[in-house]
Amino acid sequence: MPRDSRSEYEWRMHKVVTHIDDHLERPLDLAELADVAHFSAFHFHRLFAAWAGETLGDYVRRRRLEVAALRLATQPRLSVLEAAVSVGFGSGEAFSRAFRARFGSAPSSWRAAHDWSLLPEANSNPDQIELHGFTKNGPGPRRDPDGAASPEPPMNVELIIRPPVTIAYLRYVGPFGAPVGAFWGEQVAPWITRHRLWSGARYGISHDDPSITPPEQSRYDACVEVPEDFVPDGGFQKTVLPGGRYAALRFHGLPAEINTAWTRLLRDWLPGSGFQFDNRPAFEHYAASYAYDDNTHAFECDICIPIAPL
């Protein structure tokens, strides 16, 4: 069944932004990106700006700097110059100027301030907890009624090899946390029910770090496993979630508690593991067999981060 007009338009634009993220290390010109989208180069710049809310040049520049910042935070042995070259900057000086203009500090100073081994142990504003992705404002260790920190349970992190999986996804753009839960309940779950896909695994993919990307531009994909020949509709797109080596942490708890698990994995386990993030997306994996409590909303999932040797 062919896509409807709106789904076709969305699919072409998603192809463009995926192509941009996959090729940040080299020049990206208007004609090339228009060709990826199968749109006229004469009109593509205006079409992209209307869809993305920013010009093509501004979007590419922002993504180069955000990806470089994420790599500086997650790949401790990557030099500033290597980070610059990996996203298409020809010199360290040009990169440092652009980075300072975007983030307000030099790359090396920014990296030191975003060392995950120094994540805060307490969150002074619980309302700002992000429930998904790479947030660095976790609530820290549990505390006894007298205020003393109580021991956290040991982490059972498993190193696994995941196969690639075909997924249909609907993208949400905006602040993470409670709005993502509403997005699943109001838009994603009814679509999964309508297409009888609850027997497949679900995934939540946070593409951006809320401490790097402005909340109103942060991207999250709500995903469900589908057959390879599945044709999505209703604004859903289809892609392949990459396989490979991941570190997986099983979580069971309330929605407001999953941020603690993300924080502990990044703060306590990753720095001493001998691994670092690679460039595949991290995600939450919800197997069809995993528990969910309708009364308490407690749920079970695997937090999966893609890893490569240091």
Side-chain angles (χ1 to χ4, degrees):
M1 182 176 64
R3 298 181 182 88
D4 60 73
S5 178
R6 182 174 295 276
S7 294
E8 176 69 20
Y9 184 90
E10 290 282 337
W11 176 72
R12 293 188 187 190
M13 287 302 188
H14 278 250
K15 280 184 64 180
V16 171
V17 296
T18 298
H19 184 86
I20 290 171
D21 272 8
D22 288 345
H23 298 88
L24 288 174
E25 77 284 356
R26 64 174 179 77
L28 292 164
D29 60 35
L30 175 65
E32 174 189 350
L33 296 175
D35 186 61
V36 170
H38 302 292
F39 281 130
S40 161
F42 182 77
H43 296 292
F44 178 67
H45 192 279
R46 180 174 293 177
L47 286 171
F48 185 90
W51 179 77
E54 56 189 321
T55 68
L56 181 63
D58 286 346
Y59 180 86
V60 172
R61 187 161 40 251
R62 176 170 68 82
R63 290 301 298 147
R64 290 190 196 279
L65 292 169
E66 289 174 354
V67 169
L70 184 61
R71 290 176 181 172
L72 287 172
T74 60
Q75 300 179 18
R77 298 188 182 181
L78 188 74
S79 71
V80 170
L81 181 58
E82 288 170 333
V85 172
S86 77
V87 294
F89 281 87
S91 72
E93 291 78 11
F95 174 67
S96 293
R97 286 195 301 271
F99 194 96
R100 186 183 292 275
R102 169 67 178 82
F103 294 106
S105 64
S108 56
S109 300
W110 188 94
R111 165 182 260 171
H114 288 73
D115 185 343
W116 276 344
S117 66
L118 302 177
L119 289 174
E121 292 190 350
N123 182 7
S124 60
N125 188 354
D127 290 338
Q128 296 303 311
I129 292 174
E130 307 291 357
L131 299 184
H132 300 270
F134 305 112
T135 180
K136 299 176 176 62
N137 297 316
R142 298 175 300 161
R143 295 188 176 272
D144 293 328
D146 62 2
S150 61
E152 291 178 316
M155 282 186 295
N156 183 19
V157 178
E158 184 180 3
L159 301 182
I160 61 174
I161 303 295
R162 288 187 51 88
V165 59
T166 302
I167 54 174
Y169 69 93
L170 188 64
R171 179 157 295 175
Y172 162 84
V173 180
F176 293 168
V180 170
F183 176 69
W184 271 97
E186 297 168 7
Q187 298 187 51
V188 181
W191 186 89
I192 293 176
T193 298
R194 190 162 60 252
H195 290 79
R196 301 179 180 178
L197 294 172
W198 285 111
S199 60
R202 277 85 64 195
Y203 302 84
I205 305 174
S206 301
H207 290 283
D208 299 302
D209 181 334
S211 73
I212 296 173
T213 302
E216 67 274 10
Q217 294 174 322
S218 294
R219 301 163 300 159
Y220 173 90
D221 289 344
C223 320
V224 61
E225 189 171 347
V226 296
E228 290 184 12
D229 60 353
F230 182 83
V231 179
D233 61 7
F236 276 72
Q237 308 299 320
K238 188 174 73 171
T239 190
V240 174
L241 186 62
R245 198 175 197 186
Y246 290 83
L249 174 65
R250 181 65 55 87
F251 169 80
H252 184 89
L254 298 172
E257 296 171 341
I258 193 170
N259 187 66
T260 306
W262 273 101
T263 298
R264 292 191 65 209
L265 185 61
L266 301 180
R267 181 194 65 199
D268 301 337
W269 181 82
L270 186 60
S273 69
F275 295 100
Q276 63 184 354
F277 265 97
D278 73 6
N279 299 328
R280 293 167 291 152
F283 54 85
E284 293 162 10
H285 167 234
Y286 306 88
S289 60
Y290 284 2
Y292 177 77
D293 190 314
D294 288 324
N295 296 319
T296 67
H297 303 296
F299 66 95
E300 189 175 29
C301 74
D302 292 322
I303 298 172
C304 299
I305 62 172
I307 54 173
L310 273 172

